[in-house]
């Protein structure tokens, strides 16, 4: 959907606000549910990511941002780094969706997202998010790695070795492009494996840059990371 039509949807939702509260709330929730799946929620031209690429309304395996059910009742976000829901969402829009301007919370889109989040009832306790250690997880199972890769990495990077079906053109084909960018005359074998581990655990953070979200230990265990590296045949 183009950005113009998103704005139009917003205008329609606003127009419906003069109706009775139930209709107004329901249409805002429906509007939010649609926006949740749309990269146009960020005006940045290079952004291909939507809230739904990293979050769901209920617990789902391998989603970096986890379930947002109950999020409007949580008292802290991002492991205590953000104290408001708006701040937490702006964090995602800035780091992962490349939006320069934070939402004030008054935008039609922001209000619709809020209504949608509020409609997901669930766990109000702060989500636990543990940044894993950047250590070589050792050998794993290629068979399990295939399934884990599909769940955790493939939606953005596309299929291993070909990149087929990649969502974000900026995401490298794994492992080949990443290995090529870290040649053996500049990096040791151990350092090259750690690039995969560090990127998975830190994403764009800790000076790494880019747009990739970090995957916590709760989302992906060290054993599963070992399975992925074995499946990808990272030497
Ligand atoms: C590329 C992945 C990604 C995208 C896109 C993304 N998020 Fe997030 N989001 C995360 C990660 C990772 C966290 C940190 C998870 C945690 O703290 O448990 C997070 C945290 C959050 C939190 C705080 C949860 C908590 O309890 O700590 C909220 C709320 C949130 N995101 C909403 C959104 C909304 C709304 C959008 C769309 C506008 C969005 N996110 C887009 C990955 C993403
Ligand atoms: C939500 C989308 C998304 C998911 C999920 C994702 N990545 Fe990425 N990844 C990216 C993007 C975009 C880039 C390029 C920009 C950047 O570096 O952040 C990238 C870059 C990388 C790089 C290159 C690092 C470098 O320095 O060259 C590696 C390695 C990587 N990802 C591994 C993984 C692995 C392994 C998984 C699954 C466990 C995964 N990614 C899941 C979006 C994603």
């Amino acid at each position: 959907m183009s950005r113009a039509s998103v704005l139009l949807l917003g205008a329609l939702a606003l127009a419906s606000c003069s109706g009775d509260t139930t209709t107004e709330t329901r249409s805002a929730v429906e509007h939010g549910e649609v926006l949740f799946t749309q990269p146009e929620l960020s005006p940045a031209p290079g952004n291909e990511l939507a809230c739904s690429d990293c979050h769901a309304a209920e617990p789902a395996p391998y989603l970096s941002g986890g379930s947002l059910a109950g999020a409007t009742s949580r008292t802290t976000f991002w492991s205590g780094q953000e104290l408001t829901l708006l701040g937490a969402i702006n964090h995602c829009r800035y780091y992962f969706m490349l939006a320069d301007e934070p939402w004030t919370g008054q935008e039609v889109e922001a209000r619709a997202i809020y209504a949608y989040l509020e409609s997901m009832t669930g766990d109000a306790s702060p989500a636990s998010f543990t940044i894993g250690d950047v250590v070589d997880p050792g050998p794993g199972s290629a068979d399990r790695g295939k399934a884990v890769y599909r769940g955790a990495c493939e939606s953005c990077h596309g299929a291993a070795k070909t990149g087929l079906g990649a969502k974000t053109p900026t995401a490298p084909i794994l492992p080949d492009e990443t290995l090529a960018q870290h040649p053996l005359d500049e990096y040791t074998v151990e350092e090259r494996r750690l690039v995969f581990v560090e990127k998975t655990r830190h994403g764009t953070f800790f000076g790494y840059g880019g747009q990739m979200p970090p995957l916590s230990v709760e989302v992906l265990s060290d054993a599963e990371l070992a399975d992925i590296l074995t499946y990808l045949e990272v030497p």
Side-chain angles (χ1 to χ4, degrees):
M1 183 182 288
S2 71
R3 182 156 169 76
S5 49
V6 171
L7 291 173
L8 182 66
L9 264 181
L12 288 173
L14 197 64
S16 72
C17 285
S18 50
D20 70 275
T21 325
T22 336
T23 321
E24 178 193 324
T25 310
R26 196 172 53 231
S27 64
V29 171
E30 283 165 4
H31 182 206
E33 189 173 6
V34 172
L35 292 177
F36 198 73
T37 64
Q38 298 186 340
E40 289 83 357
L41 220 43
S42 158
N47 176 55
E48 312 279 343
L49 297 179
C51 312
S52 58
D53 288 317
C54 307
H55 293 287
E58 47 213 45
Y62 305 125
L63 275 184
S64 60
S67 166
L68 291 180
T72 53
S73 307
R74 293 177 198 163
T75 47
T76 68
F77 307 89
W78 280 93
S79 305
Q81 292 180 71
E82 287 289 344
L83 299 178
T84 65
L85 181 68
L86 181 63
I89 296 173
N90 277 331
H91 215 62
C92 291
R93 290 181 74 253
Y94 179 79
Y95 285 105
F96 308 133
M97 300 171 73
L98 313 174
D100 285 336
E101 292 279 324
W103 273 344
T104 62
Q106 294 310 306
E107 298 80 0
V108 172
E109 293 96 329
R111 298 205 324 253
I113 286 289
Y114 183 84
Y116 177 52
L117 294 182
E118 206 175 26
S119 76
M120 309 172 181
T121 45
D123 191 0
S125 50
S128 81
F129 188 92
T130 311
I131 301 164
D133 292 328
V134 179
V135 290
D136 195 320
S141 142
D143 271 355
R144 281 197 307 264
K146 185 176 184 176
V148 182
Y149 178 86
R150 185 167 296 154
C153 322
E154 191 164 312
S155 63
C156 293
H157 285 273
K161 298 191 162 54
T162 64
L164 218 69
K167 166 167 290 156
T168 40
T170 50
I173 297 173
L174 298 179
D176 304 57
E177 287 189 341
T178 298
L179 290 174
Q181 276 163 14
H182 300 83
L184 275 172
D185 54 349
E186 289 174 42
Y187 297 84
T188 65
V189 169
E190 167 78 353
E191 281 168 346
R192 286 185 352 149
R193 284 177 60 85
L194 289 181
V195 168
F196 290 83
V197 179
E198 180 171 8
K199 189 66 189 176
T200 302
R201 292 305 184 204
H202 291 172
T204 174
F205 296 110
F206 300 101
Y208 213 110
Q211 191 184 3
M212 181 171 143
L215 281 83
S216 67
V217 173
E218 288 84 350
V219 170
L220 186 83
S221 68
D222 281 336
E224 288 170 315
L225 190 48
D227 294 339
I228 290 177
L229 294 189
T230 301
Y231 167 63
L232 291 176
E233 297 177 331
V234 176

